[in-house]
Amino acid sequence: MGVESIPRTLLPLKIIATGTALPPKCVESSVLDRQLNKPNGYVEKRSGIIHRFHASNDASQAELAAAAIEDALVRHNVASDSIDLLISASAIAIQALPFSAAHILKVAKLPAGMASFDINTSCVSFISALQVAAGLLNSGVYQRIAIVSADIASRGIDWNDEESSLIFGDGAACVIVERGDGQSGILSYLMETYPEGSELCEIRAGGTRRNPRAGINDSDFLFRMQGKKLFRQASALIESFLSRLLFAGGVSLAQINTVVPHQASHLSLEHMRKRLGVKPEALIDIYRYRGNQVAASIPSALHEAAINGRLNRGQRVMLIGTAAGLTLGGMVLVS
């Protein structure tokens, strides 16, 4: 049975605004060459990044998130008091308690007392949040929802680990959604977790597993990644995952107008082009100028698609990525 013969129900959802925010410090790969005592061009060749942005050690993650929200509101002339739910969809918490959305709401230009909560599925948190938002909007509980992803990955970099230290950048992105008229929405959503890979990408501290009473080292606060093993596991899973995501949406890859992937690494994006067969003109690639922004990567790339006319009415857009866990997340939208 062909995918076109399978009836699909569109879950209504309309993106009405997008925005981003970046820290002021732009870090060229040539600067890291000198910092790490490497020959000229080494970091760019190894990481695939021309520059990325790093926050200062005292910068506020909540304020970075609030700046992305403000950019979305102002850019699209959306009234702040029209938002009735804030979802923080970040991989890295501001602190263990309270939840990050409360910190963001405290500094954002949004009404005090509004509903807020966090969703965290690491680098694919935004995809999870978009699905939850669609369900809430269609239940009638909320009318307009702001989803913001903000991560300061640079604060957890272990500069002794060359494999992971070169690829991360900081940033935030906000997407504002409402139910819309039912002509746009979600065709399919898929999330899968393979916990045998849970130790391949982690920050051990920040919860009950590693703390002063359970035992903790300074290195537990830093990001750890077994990159080669992680890439092998993700690569072995992603092709069949993509097939299931597309089948659930009743579409083929050729019918997807725009692909918005997690900007994990230059290798992962090249895998998208070569192994998965994503056409270069369909792929949104901001990695060379942002690096891996963790959960902020996908909504930042979605914003890039929006401002470049890649979210035109009626077009099919696919969000896809892999994350710590090991988790795979994907969504097919009609814009």
Side-chain angles (χ1 to χ4, degrees):
M1 180 182 290
V3 292
E4 289 300 333
S5 64
I6 302 173
R8 293 296 185 267
T9 300
L10 189 72
L11 181 63
L13 181 75
K14 183 180 181 182
I15 295 172
I16 66 165
T18 65
T20 59
L22 293 165
K25 183 181 179 182
C26 179
V27 181
E28 303 281 348
S29 285
S30 58
V31 172
L32 293 183
D33 287 336
R34 295 190 291 273
Q35 178 181 317
L36 300 172
N37 296 314
K38 299 295 182 180
N40 290 338
Y42 179 88
V43 171
E44 183 176 336
K45 182 177 180 180
R46 185 75 189 274
S47 69
I49 300 170
I50 296 173
H51 65 244
R52 77 287 284 149
F53 294 82
H54 285 171
S56 63
N57 287 337
D58 60 353
S60 165
Q61 186 174 336
E63 290 178 357
L64 187 64
I69 295 169
E70 182 69 6
D71 185 49
L73 293 171
V74 172
R75 186 185 293 269
H76 298 275
N77 196 28
V78 177
S80 61
D81 60 4
S82 71
I83 309 295
D84 48 11
L85 172 64
L86 171 66
I87 301 176
S88 171
S90 305
I92 304 166
I94 294 172
Q95 64 183 55
L97 286 171
F99 56 97
S100 294
H103 289 273
I104 297 167
L105 189 59
K106 189 174 183 178
V107 297
K109 295 177 182 178
L110 293 172
M114 69 180 294
S116 67
F117 58 78
D118 291 0
I119 288 178
N120 187 347
T121 46
S122 188
C123 295
V124 293
S125 296
F126 176 77
I127 298 176
S128 301
L130 205 56
Q131 177 71 14
V132 171
L136 291 169
L137 290 166
N138 281 278
S139 71
V141 178
Y142 301 106
Q143 304 304 310
R144 187 171 283 177
I145 299 173
I147 304 168
V148 64
S149 300
D151 279 315
I152 298 181
S154 64
R155 206 162 290 172
I157 288 175
D158 181 355
W159 290 106
N160 295 314
D161 180 8
E162 184 178 298
E163 186 175 34
S164 66
S165 63
L166 307 181
I167 66 172
F168 287 104
D170 303 335
C174 174
V175 174
I176 300 174
V177 293
E178 60 186 25
R179 187 181 185 278
D181 59 8
Q183 298 302 304
S184 60
I186 298 171
L187 272 178
S188 64
Y189 164 79
L190 187 62
M191 190 75 60
E192 297 176 356
T193 299
Y194 298 88
E196 62 270 21
S198 62
E199 295 182 355
L200 298 179
C201 186
E202 62 179 353
I203 297 175
R204 295 176 179 173
T208 58
R209 182 186 179 198
R210 295 291 177 97
N211 71 16
R213 292 183 177 177
I216 196 167
N217 299 307
D218 287 349
S219 62
D220 290 328
F221 290 95
L222 302 179
F223 177 80
R224 299 167 180 262
M225 180 176 71
Q226 299 177 50
K228 292 180 181 178
K229 289 183 178 179
L230 184 68
F231 184 77
R232 281 198 299 268
Q233 185 184 9
S235 297
L237 295 167
I238 192 68
E239 290 184 48
S240 59
F241 176 84
L242 174 62
S243 295
R244 290 190 294 278
L245 175 65
L246 292 170
F247 183 80
V251 294
S252 67
L253 184 57
Q255 293 171 310
I256 300 294
N257 302 100
T258 302
V259 177
V260 180
H262 170 43
Q263 313 286 301
S265 68
H266 64 301
L267 291 177
S268 69
L269 292 168
E270 198 61 22
H271 185 86
M272 285 270 176
R273 296 183 185 95
K274 291 184 176 179
R275 289 285 299 277
L276 300 185
V278 176
K279 294 178 181 178
E281 61 269 21
L283 190 71
I284 301 298
D285 182 354
I286 61 172
Y287 175 77
R288 289 173 297 170
Y289 306 103
R290 300 289 182 84
N292 182 335
Q293 295 175 292
V294 202
S297 279
I298 291 176
S300 292
L302 186 63
H303 171 75
E304 189 74 13
I307 63 176
N308 284 293
R310 302 288 295 277
L311 301 183
N312 296 320
R313 188 172 179 87
Q315 290 189 328
R316 298 181 181 95
V317 180
M318 181 171 69
L319 314 180
I320 191 167
T322 60
L326 173 85
T327 295
L328 291 82
M331 176 179 285
V332 177
L333 295 164
V334 176
S335 59

